[in-house]
Amino acid sequence: MKTTINKQDNLIVAVLEGELDTAAAQDVEKALQPLFTADRRDILFDCSGLEYIASSGLRILISILKSARSQGRKVIMRDVNDDIKNVFKLTGFINLFEFE
């Protein structure tokens, strides 16, 4: 699993590539730690390279979403494939996130 964070204009872009499974979750959570204290920018997750997400990965995203919302920021999910979008639908998280 590869995680990259970049700043673009008014966004912080987190690029997720590979499988966000239980084995990768701890490293991904460490890599995404800056998103919890980001400088008032909205967060965009680029999921074009994300192949799989486990419940541990969803937990990380929900934690970031809660933190961002408490600071008045948005979290946007971009280029989520149909399989992963189905996971969001099945868990009811589809209504919590903004998708592009």
XYZ file of all heavy atoms in Angstrom:
787
model
N 0.855 -1.180 0.000
C 0.000 0.000 0.000
C 0.887 1.226 0.000
O 1.800 1.340 0.806
C -0.887 -0.059 1.250
C -1.809 1.099 1.440
S -3.207 1.050 0.328
C -3.627 2.766 0.303
N 0.596 2.140 -0.906
C 1.359 3.380 -1.013
C 0.428 4.561 -0.735
O -0.685 4.615 -1.259
C 1.967 3.499 -2.409
C 2.812 4.736 -2.592
C 3.421 4.775 -3.972
C 4.187 6.072 -4.165
N 4.655 6.235 -5.538
N 0.900 5.474 0.095
C 0.129 6.660 0.461
C 1.001 7.893 0.247
O 2.121 7.945 0.732
C -0.292 6.596 1.935
O -0.940 5.349 2.179
C -1.235 7.726 2.287
N 0.467 8.860 -0.491
C 1.189 10.099 -0.765
C 0.288 11.278 -0.433
O -0.903 11.257 -0.753
C 1.575 10.178 -2.262
O 2.203 8.952 -2.643
C 2.499 11.336 -2.532
N 0.858 12.298 0.201
C 0.086 13.504 0.529
C 0.726 14.698 -0.164
O 1.941 14.905 -0.066
C 0.045 13.738 2.057
C -0.666 12.574 2.745
C -0.649 15.067 2.369
C -0.658 12.667 4.258
N -0.105 15.471 -0.870
C 0.338 16.677 -1.576
C -0.623 17.814 -1.267
O -1.794 17.580 -0.996
C 0.342 16.454 -3.094
C 1.216 15.318 -3.511
O 2.398 15.320 -3.250
N 0.620 14.323 -4.153
N -0.140 19.038 -1.355
C -1.010 20.210 -1.220
C -1.222 20.800 -2.601
O -0.280 20.992 -3.356
C -0.378 21.252 -0.295
C -0.306 20.791 1.133
C 0.264 21.848 2.041
C 0.301 21.327 3.469
N 0.821 22.320 4.402
N -2.502 21.045 -2.935
C -2.872 21.652 -4.217
C -3.922 22.717 -3.941
O -5.021 22.399 -3.490
C -3.451 20.619 -5.171
C -2.492 19.558 -5.622
C -3.168 18.561 -6.552
O -4.373 18.608 -6.779
N -2.390 17.649 -7.098
N -3.588 23.951 -4.217
C -4.519 25.060 -4.023
C -5.131 25.013 -2.617
O -4.417 25.091 -1.643
C -5.606 25.058 -5.109
C -5.011 25.158 -6.514
O -4.023 25.901 -6.680
O -5.518 24.489 -7.416
N -6.451 24.863 -2.538
C -7.142 24.850 -1.249
C -7.380 23.440 -0.729
O -8.201 23.242 0.163
C -8.485 25.573 -1.362
C -8.305 27.037 -1.682
O -7.322 27.648 -1.285
N -9.240 27.604 -2.406
N -6.679 22.455 -1.294
C -6.896 21.054 -0.918
C -5.613 20.402 -0.435
O -4.519 20.763 -0.857
C -7.379 20.238 -2.128
C -8.757 20.508 -2.685
C -8.950 19.703 -3.963
C -9.826 20.140 -1.680
N -5.795 19.410 0.403
C -4.734 18.455 0.685
C -5.169 17.177 -0.023
O -6.261 16.667 0.224
C -4.555 18.221 2.186
C -4.091 19.506 2.853
C -3.579 17.085 2.437
C -3.962 19.415 4.336
N -4.331 16.684 -0.916
C -4.664 15.505 -1.700
C -3.890 14.313 -1.149
O -2.658 14.341 -1.082
C -4.324 15.712 -3.197
C -4.652 14.466 -3.999
C -5.070 16.922 -3.743
N -4.634 13.289 -0.747
C -4.037 12.043 -0.283
C -4.292 10.982 -1.350
O -5.438 10.660 -1.641
C -4.637 11.619 1.049
N -3.222 10.485 -1.937
C -3.325 9.479 -2.989
C -3.156 8.106 -2.344
O -2.155 7.851 -1.673
C -2.249 9.699 -4.077
C -2.383 8.657 -5.179
C -2.351 11.110 -4.650
N -4.160 7.255 -2.541
C -4.140 5.898 -1.990
C -3.972 4.905 -3.132
O -4.768 4.905 -4.068
C -5.446 5.609 -1.238
C -5.823 6.590 -0.126
C -7.188 6.222 0.448
C -4.760 6.595 0.962
N -2.935 4.062 -3.044
C -2.662 3.089 -4.098
C -2.433 1.715 -3.484
O -1.665 1.589 -2.530
C -1.416 3.481 -4.886
C -1.546 4.817 -5.588
C -0.253 5.211 -6.263
O -0.032 4.763 -7.410
O 0.518 5.960 -5.642
N -3.113 0.720 -4.015
C -2.924 -0.646 -3.546
C -4.109 -1.131 -2.747
O -5.247 -0.743 -3.002
N -3.830 -1.990 -1.766
C -4.877 -2.591 -0.946
C -4.790 -2.080 0.482
O -3.794 -2.311 1.162
C -4.751 -4.117 -0.979
C -4.971 -4.685 -2.356
C -4.965 -6.205 -2.382
O -4.820 -6.836 -1.317
O -5.131 -6.756 -3.483
N -5.834 -1.399 0.909
C -5.903 -0.884 2.275
C -6.554 -1.961 3.140
O -7.722 -1.897 3.496
C -6.677 0.432 2.324
C -6.802 1.153 3.663
C -5.484 1.201 4.410
C -7.326 2.538 3.473
N -5.767 -2.988 3.421
C -6.254 -4.101 4.219
C -5.763 -3.961 5.661
O -5.092 -2.989 6.012
C -5.836 -5.438 3.612
C -4.334 -5.559 3.416
O -3.566 -4.762 3.986
O -3.920 -6.464 2.667
N -6.091 -4.933 6.490
C -5.731 -4.876 7.907
C -4.222 -4.809 8.099
O -3.733 -4.080 8.967
C -6.313 -6.097 8.644
O -7.731 -6.101 8.435
C -6.033 -6.037 10.123
N -3.477 -5.530 7.279
C -2.023 -5.538 7.401
C -1.416 -4.161 7.107
O -0.422 -3.773 7.716
C -1.428 -6.585 6.465
N -2.010 -3.420 6.200
C -1.480 -2.107 5.808
C -2.040 -0.968 6.647
O -1.492 0.140 6.629
C -1.795 -1.847 4.339
N -3.097 -1.212 7.384
C -3.832 -0.134 8.069
C -2.969 0.691 9.020
O -3.067 1.916 9.039
C -5.036 -0.703 8.801
N -2.134 0.047 9.802
C -1.327 0.786 10.773
C -0.360 1.748 10.083
O -0.234 2.906 10.482
C -0.565 -0.188 11.665
C 0.125 0.502 12.820
C 0.755 -0.496 13.780
O 0.904 -1.673 13.465
N 1.122 -0.034 14.960
N 0.294 1.299 9.018
C 1.210 2.172 8.281
C 0.468 3.301 7.582
O 0.935 4.439 7.542
C 2.012 1.361 7.257
C 3.024 0.438 7.925
O 3.442 0.707 9.071
O 3.398 -0.566 7.287
N -0.692 2.992 7.033
C -1.489 4.011 6.355
C -1.965 5.058 7.355
O -1.920 6.257 7.086
C -2.681 3.375 5.603
C -3.637 4.435 5.087
C -2.174 2.503 4.458
N -2.390 4.617 8.517
C -2.844 5.561 9.539
C -1.717 6.511 9.935
O -1.931 7.714 10.079
C -3.367 4.809 10.762
C -4.054 5.711 11.762
C -4.837 4.940 12.804
O -4.521 3.762 13.059
O -5.768 5.538 13.362
N -0.505 5.997 10.077
C 0.657 6.853 10.387
C 0.907 7.839 9.253
O 1.167 9.021 9.490
C 1.902 6.008 10.616
C 1.959 5.343 11.949
C 3.253 4.557 12.086
C 3.235 3.686 13.322
N 4.427 2.827 13.392
N 0.842 7.355 8.020
C 1.093 8.209 6.861
C 0.049 9.313 6.738
O 0.348 10.421 6.282
C 1.126 7.374 5.587
N -1.189 9.019 7.141
C -2.275 10.002 7.021
C -2.432 10.872 8.252
O -3.301 11.747 8.291
C -3.596 9.268 6.727
C -3.668 8.527 5.394
C -5.010 7.821 5.256
C -3.432 9.462 4.218
N -1.611 10.683 9.253
C -1.699 11.459 10.494
C -1.729 12.976 10.266
O -2.481 13.677 10.941
C -0.540 11.074 11.420
C -0.763 11.450 12.859
C -1.968 10.733 13.469
O -2.226 9.576 13.196
N -2.713 11.429 14.281
N -0.955 13.523 9.308
C -1.017 14.973 9.074
C -2.411 15.488 8.701
O -2.704 16.671 8.877
C -0.033 15.195 7.921
C 0.904 14.037 7.999
C 0.074 12.882 8.500
N -3.273 14.626 8.196
C -4.613 15.056 7.794
C -5.478 15.425 9.003
O -6.441 16.169 8.875
C -5.306 13.977 6.968
C -4.613 13.576 5.672
C -5.434 12.541 4.936
C -4.339 14.773 4.785
N -5.142 14.892 10.163
C -5.915 15.205 11.367
C -5.693 16.648 11.824
O -6.544 17.229 12.473
C -5.560 14.235 12.504
C -6.100 12.855 12.306
C -5.299 11.848 11.808
C -7.420 12.560 12.616
C -5.793 10.564 11.618
C -7.934 11.285 12.433
C -7.114 10.285 11.931
N -4.545 17.202 11.481
C -4.219 18.560 11.930
C -3.904 19.473 10.754
O -3.134 20.410 10.872
C -3.008 18.524 12.881
O -1.912 17.900 12.194
C -3.327 17.757 14.141
N -4.477 19.179 9.626
C -4.203 19.944 8.404
C -4.593 21.399 8.571
O -5.439 21.750 9.388
C -4.950 19.325 7.227
N -4.012 22.232 7.759
C -4.152 23.685 7.881
C -5.435 24.237 7.264
O -5.396 25.066 6.383
C -2.933 24.364 7.292
C -2.666 23.945 5.855
O -3.453 23.144 5.303
O -1.695 24.432 5.289
N -6.546 23.765 7.749
C -7.870 24.267 7.344
C -8.213 24.010 5.885
O -9.153 24.580 5.352
C -8.015 25.760 7.642
C -7.918 26.094 9.101
C -9.173 25.693 9.801
N -9.078 25.999 11.220
C -9.645 25.309 12.161
N -10.371 24.264 11.858
N -9.524 25.635 13.416
N -7.447 23.199 5.231
C -7.759 22.859 3.844
C -8.681 21.642 3.831
O -8.618 20.785 4.703
C -6.493 22.512 3.070
C -5.541 23.660 2.927
C -4.308 23.207 2.201
N -3.254 24.201 2.314
C -2.431 24.500 1.328
N -2.529 23.889 0.178
N -1.502 25.407 1.501
N -9.534 21.575 2.813
C -10.352 20.382 2.620
C -9.438 19.231 2.191
O -8.332 19.450 1.696
C -11.422 20.632 1.561
C -12.485 21.613 2.026
O -12.690 21.744 3.255
O -13.116 22.250 1.172
N -9.916 18.020 2.377
C -9.128 16.825 2.077
C -9.753 16.093 0.901
O -10.951 15.841 0.885
C -9.071 15.896 3.297
C -8.420 16.617 4.481
C -8.329 14.607 2.959
C -8.597 15.907 5.803
N -8.926 15.756 -0.069
C -9.359 14.982 -1.228
C -8.577 13.671 -1.229
O -7.347 13.686 -1.214
C -9.084 15.734 -2.528
C -9.385 14.923 -3.780
C -10.803 15.173 -4.242
C -8.417 15.242 -4.881
N -9.308 12.556 -1.204
C -8.680 11.247 -1.343
C -8.765 10.831 -2.800
O -9.864 10.659 -3.329
C -9.379 10.198 -0.469
C -9.017 10.291 0.973
C -9.868 10.899 1.883
C -7.814 9.775 1.439
C -9.543 10.993 3.218
C -7.477 9.864 2.778
C -8.330 10.471 3.675
N -7.614 10.701 -3.447
C -7.550 10.195 -4.813
C -7.479 8.677 -4.722
O -6.465 8.116 -4.306
C -6.322 10.752 -5.524
C -6.162 10.241 -6.941
O -6.803 9.222 -7.311
O -5.383 10.848 -7.694
N -8.558 8.022 -5.091
C -8.670 6.564 -4.954
C -8.531 5.842 -6.286
O -8.888 4.663 -6.388
C -10.005 6.218 -4.304
S -10.198 6.916 -2.657
N -8.010 6.516 -7.298
C -7.908 5.897 -8.619
C -7.017 4.654 -8.601
O -7.209 3.750 -9.413
C -7.406 6.903 -9.653
O -6.149 7.441 -9.259
N -6.082 4.582 -7.668
C -5.206 3.420 -7.576
C -5.536 2.490 -6.420
O -4.830 1.523 -6.163
N -6.624 2.782 -5.712
C -7.026 1.949 -4.577
C -7.792 0.735 -5.095
O -8.795 0.874 -5.782
C -7.884 2.756 -3.605
C -8.257 2.080 -2.291
C -7.018 1.770 -1.455
C -9.216 2.959 -1.498
N -7.304 -0.453 -4.751
C -7.885 -1.687 -5.274
C -8.825 -2.381 -4.293
O -9.698 -3.145 -4.700
C -6.762 -2.653 -5.656
C -5.820 -2.093 -6.695
C -4.516 -2.867 -6.793
O -4.372 -3.912 -6.135
O -3.637 -2.408 -7.542
N -8.631 -2.136 -3.003
C -9.395 -2.855 -1.974
C -9.364 -2.040 -0.688
O -8.379 -1.372 -0.403
C -8.757 -4.231 -1.733
C -9.346 -4.993 -0.568
C -10.524 -5.714 -0.710
C -8.725 -4.980 0.673
C -11.070 -6.413 0.363
C -9.256 -5.677 1.748
C -10.430 -6.390 1.593
O -10.967 -7.063 2.646
N -10.440 -2.119 0.091
C -10.464 -1.487 1.407
C -11.147 -2.423 2.394
O -12.206 -2.983 2.112
C -11.136 -0.095 1.382
C -10.897 0.638 2.688
C -12.607 -0.204 1.046
C -11.190 2.125 2.622
N -10.505 -2.621 3.529
C -11.050 -3.445 4.607
C -11.703 -2.535 5.643
O -11.584 -1.309 5.580
C -9.933 -4.263 5.256
N -12.370 -3.131 6.600
C -13.039 -2.338 7.641
C -12.046 -1.477 8.413
O -12.368 -0.364 8.830
C -13.811 -3.244 8.602
O -12.939 -4.161 9.223
N -10.815 -1.940 8.576
C -9.798 -1.140 9.264
C -9.465 0.122 8.462
O -9.204 1.182 9.027
C -8.541 -1.963 9.525
O -8.086 -2.567 8.334
N -9.511 0.030 7.146
C -9.300 1.197 6.291
C -10.465 2.168 6.377
O -10.276 3.386 6.426
N -11.683 1.631 6.425
C -12.859 2.489 6.592
C -12.806 3.235 7.920
O -13.161 4.410 7.993
C -14.139 1.647 6.519
C -14.511 1.083 5.163
C -15.695 0.140 5.292
C -14.808 2.189 4.175
N -12.335 2.558 8.957
C -12.225 3.189 10.273
C -11.294 4.397 10.212
O -11.588 5.454 10.778
C -11.701 2.179 11.297
C -11.560 2.751 12.692
C -10.853 1.795 13.647
N -9.550 1.339 13.164
C -8.428 2.056 13.207
N -8.438 3.290 13.684
N -7.288 1.559 12.763
N -10.187 4.271 9.506
C -9.244 5.380 9.357
C -9.918 6.557 8.653
O -9.817 7.710 9.081
C -7.994 4.936 8.579
C -7.213 3.897 9.389
C -7.113 6.126 8.231
C -6.161 3.163 8.579
N -10.616 6.269 7.563
C -11.283 7.332 6.799
C -12.364 8.023 7.623
O -12.514 9.248 7.562
C -11.864 6.770 5.504
C -10.854 6.227 4.486
C -11.580 5.677 3.277
C -9.851 7.288 4.088
N -13.112 7.250 8.407
C -14.155 7.834 9.256
C -13.525 8.728 10.327
O -14.041 9.807 10.626
C -15.020 6.727 9.907
C -15.914 6.086 8.858
C -15.848 7.249 11.071
C -16.996 6.988 8.295
N -12.408 8.310 10.889
C -11.722 9.122 11.898
C -11.270 10.451 11.302
O -11.419 11.509 11.926
C -10.507 8.380 12.460
O -10.896 7.239 13.154
N -10.730 10.398 10.095
C -10.303 11.628 9.416
C -11.504 12.505 9.106
O -11.458 13.721 9.283
C -9.489 11.290 8.151
C -8.152 10.657 8.555
C -9.289 12.520 7.273
C -7.376 10.046 7.416
N -12.593 11.890 8.657
C -13.816 12.638 8.359
C -14.326 13.365 9.603
O -14.652 14.553 9.544
C -14.890 11.701 7.821
C -16.250 12.328 7.528
C -16.169 13.279 6.340
C -17.288 11.248 7.270
N -14.389 12.678 10.729
C -14.866 13.303 11.973
C -13.982 14.473 12.372
O -14.473 15.540 12.755
C -14.911 12.274 13.095
C -16.041 11.290 12.980
C -16.015 10.310 14.140
C -17.123 9.292 14.036
N -17.079 8.312 15.131
N -12.680 14.277 12.289
C -11.742 15.337 12.638
C -11.901 16.540 11.712
O -11.948 17.689 12.160
C -10.315 14.801 12.567
O -9.384 15.820 12.785
N -11.991 16.275 10.422
C -12.122 17.352 9.436
C -13.419 18.127 9.642
O -13.417 19.370 9.643
C -12.065 16.780 8.026
N -14.516 17.419 9.825
C -15.811 18.094 10.017
C -15.822 18.958 11.278
O -16.419 20.028 11.292
C -16.942 17.080 10.073
C -17.332 16.583 8.705
C -18.593 15.782 8.762
N -19.028 15.406 7.432
C -19.929 14.489 7.201
N -20.504 13.839 8.196
N -20.286 14.204 5.968
N -15.169 18.486 12.325
C -15.135 19.268 13.569
C -14.365 20.571 13.381
O -14.536 21.504 14.148
C -14.522 18.450 14.710
O -13.131 18.306 14.534
N -13.542 20.624 12.330
C -12.776 21.830 12.011
C -13.376 22.602 10.839
O -12.771 23.526 10.316
C -11.330 21.439 11.681
C -10.611 20.759 12.819
C -9.300 20.146 12.370
O -8.708 20.541 11.373
N -8.827 19.160 13.101
N -14.570 22.184 10.397
C -15.248 22.870 9.301
C -14.688 22.543 7.924
O -14.871 23.319 6.988
N -14.010 21.405 7.796
C -13.429 21.016 6.514
C -14.241 19.887 5.891
O -14.959 19.179 6.572
C -11.973 20.567 6.698
C -11.109 21.683 7.254
C -9.659 21.269 7.406
N -9.516 20.204 8.389
C -8.659 19.185 8.268
N -7.894 19.069 7.217
N -8.576 18.273 9.214
N -14.093 19.723 4.579
C -14.777 18.646 3.849
C -13.788 17.546 3.515
O -12.593 17.787 3.392
C -15.366 19.166 2.532
C -16.485 20.146 2.672
C -17.184 20.421 1.358
C -16.237 20.859 0.256
N -16.931 21.236 -0.982
N -14.326 16.341 3.327
C -13.547 15.209 2.838
C -14.220 14.715 1.567
O -15.406 14.395 1.567
C -13.464 14.072 3.885
C -12.752 12.864 3.304
C -12.768 14.561 5.150
N -13.459 14.669 0.497
C -13.974 14.302 -0.819
C -13.261 13.031 -1.283
O -12.039 12.923 -1.186
C -13.724 15.436 -1.835
C -14.359 16.744 -1.335
C -14.238 15.056 -3.216
C -13.726 17.985 -1.906
N -14.038 12.091 -1.784
C -13.496 10.846 -2.329
C -13.576 10.938 -3.847
O -14.660 11.151 -4.392
C -14.298 9.644 -1.831
C -14.455 9.551 -0.327
S -12.927 9.336 0.563
C -12.479 7.690 0.068
N -12.452 10.763 -4.532
C -12.438 10.885 -5.991
C -11.986 9.571 -6.640
O -11.083 8.908 -6.145
C -11.497 12.007 -6.423
C -11.431 12.163 -7.940
C -10.529 13.270 -8.377
N -11.176 14.542 -8.097
C -10.522 15.706 -8.072
N -9.234 15.761 -8.268
N -11.184 16.819 -7.832
N -12.617 9.245 -7.749
C -12.254 8.081 -8.566
C -12.273 6.772 -7.782
O -11.354 5.957 -7.876
C -10.879 8.278 -9.219
C -10.879 9.401 -10.237
O -11.945 9.637 -10.854
O -9.842 10.048 -10.430
N -13.349 6.564 -7.037
C -13.524 5.318 -6.288
C -14.110 4.269 -7.229
O -15.130 4.527 -7.877
C -14.471 5.551 -5.082
C -14.713 4.266 -4.320
C -13.909 6.631 -4.160
N -13.472 3.098 -7.298
C -13.987 2.073 -8.211
C -15.294 1.482 -7.670
O -15.656 1.679 -6.512
C -12.929 0.997 -8.513
C -12.646 0.067 -7.354
O -13.519 -0.287 -6.571
N -11.395 -0.356 -7.235
N -16.001 0.768 -8.522
C -17.330 0.255 -8.172
C -17.306 -0.714 -6.992
O -18.210 -0.699 -6.154
C -17.985 -0.420 -9.380
C -18.382 0.587 -10.450
O -18.525 1.787 -10.125
O -18.555 0.172 -11.609
N -16.281 -1.555 -6.904
C -16.201 -2.516 -5.799
C -16.065 -1.803 -4.452
O -16.728 -2.148 -3.476
C -15.024 -3.481 -5.990
C -15.239 -4.444 -7.147
O -16.413 -4.687 -7.516
O -14.241 -4.951 -7.680
N -15.206 -0.809 -4.414
C -15.009 -0.065 -3.164
C -16.242 0.779 -2.855
O -16.657 0.882 -1.703
C -13.722 0.772 -3.229
C -12.520 -0.180 -3.296
C -13.623 1.719 -2.031
C -11.196 0.484 -3.514
N -16.837 1.347 -3.869
C -18.064 2.127 -3.648
C -19.160 1.229 -3.076
O -19.953 1.659 -2.237
C -18.523 2.796 -4.939
C -19.485 3.955 -4.686
C -19.783 4.717 -5.946
C -18.862 5.914 -6.010
N -19.238 6.858 -7.065
N -19.200 -0.023 -3.498
C -20.155 -0.991 -2.949
C -19.928 -1.209 -1.455
O -20.888 -1.359 -0.698
C -20.058 -2.328 -3.689
C -21.197 -2.522 -4.639
O -22.164 -1.762 -4.649
N -21.089 -3.549 -5.445
N -18.665 -1.259 -1.037
C -18.350 -1.397 0.389
C -18.906 -0.202 1.157
O -19.506 -0.359 2.224
C -16.823 -1.541 0.612
C -16.474 -1.484 2.091
C -16.310 -2.829 -0.019
N -18.752 0.992 0.603
C -19.297 2.191 1.238
C -20.821 2.109 1.315
O -21.417 2.510 2.308
C -18.870 3.447 0.481
C -17.503 3.950 0.846
C -16.368 3.450 0.233
C -17.343 4.933 1.811
C -15.111 3.905 0.558
C -16.089 5.406 2.147
C -14.972 4.889 1.526
N -21.452 1.586 0.264
C -22.912 1.451 0.261
C -23.375 0.439 1.305
O -24.318 0.702 2.059
C -23.409 1.024 -1.122
C -23.357 2.120 -2.158
C -23.810 1.606 -3.514
C -23.638 2.691 -4.579
N -23.956 2.191 -5.922
N -22.718 -0.722 1.340
C -23.110 -1.787 2.269
C -22.958 -1.369 3.731
O -23.730 -1.797 4.582
C -22.290 -3.046 2.000
C -22.601 -3.761 0.689
C -21.595 -4.871 0.430
C -24.013 -4.322 0.705
N -21.971 -0.548 4.009
C -21.738 -0.110 5.393
C -22.550 1.138 5.758
O -22.581 1.521 6.915
C -20.245 0.190 5.622
O -19.827 1.204 4.697
C -19.404 -1.055 5.458
N -23.172 1.756 4.769
C -23.934 2.976 5.024
C -23.068 4.227 5.023
O -23.552 5.326 5.277
N -21.780 4.081 4.727
C -20.868 5.229 4.729
C -20.982 6.065 3.464
O -20.414 7.145 3.387
C -19.419 4.770 4.902
C -19.124 4.179 6.254
C -17.950 3.486 6.473
C -20.004 4.303 7.316
C -17.657 2.931 7.713
C -19.727 3.754 8.560
C -18.545 3.074 8.757
N -21.719 5.569 2.481
C -21.853 6.279 1.207
C -22.449 7.669 1.414
O -22.133 8.614 0.696
C -22.683 5.452 0.188
C -22.546 6.018 -1.220
C -24.144 5.383 0.581
C -21.338 5.548 -1.957
N -23.303 7.811 2.422
C -23.959 9.093 2.688
C -23.108 10.032 3.529
O -23.452 11.207 3.665
C -25.297 8.851 3.384
C -26.240 8.064 2.507
O -26.311 8.270 1.307
N -26.946 7.122 3.110
N -22.024 9.542 4.090
C -21.175 10.373 4.949
C -20.137 11.151 4.159
O -19.731 12.232 4.556
C -20.474 9.505 6.000
C -21.379 8.740 6.953
C -20.538 7.887 7.884
C -22.271 9.681 7.742
N -19.687 10.577 3.068
C -18.621 11.175 2.273
C -19.175 11.807 1.010
O -20.215 11.436 0.507
C -17.591 10.102 1.872
C -16.788 9.577 3.025
C -17.235 8.499 3.759
C -15.577 10.164 3.368
C -16.492 8.003 4.826
C -14.834 9.682 4.422
C -15.282 8.599 5.147
N -18.420 12.759 0.493
C -18.731 13.388 -0.786
C -17.916 12.662 -1.851
O -16.706 12.485 -1.689
C -18.339 14.865 -0.718
C -18.764 15.687 -1.882
C -18.429 17.156 -1.677
O -18.644 17.673 -0.568
O -17.946 17.767 -2.644
N -18.558 12.212 -2.926
C -17.881 11.471 -3.983
C -17.835 12.274 -5.262
O -18.805 12.936 -5.619
C -18.587 10.139 -4.245
C -18.389 9.126 -3.154
C -19.184 9.136 -2.022
C -17.397 8.172 -3.252
C -19.014 8.208 -1.015
C -17.204 7.241 -2.247
C -18.014 7.262 -1.123
N -16.712 12.202 -5.960
C -16.558 12.824 -7.283
C -16.186 11.764 -8.274
O -15.501 10.836 -7.988
C -15.447 13.872 -7.271
C -15.766 15.099 -6.479
C -14.663 16.151 -6.583
O -13.569 15.849 -7.093
O -14.898 17.261 -6.146
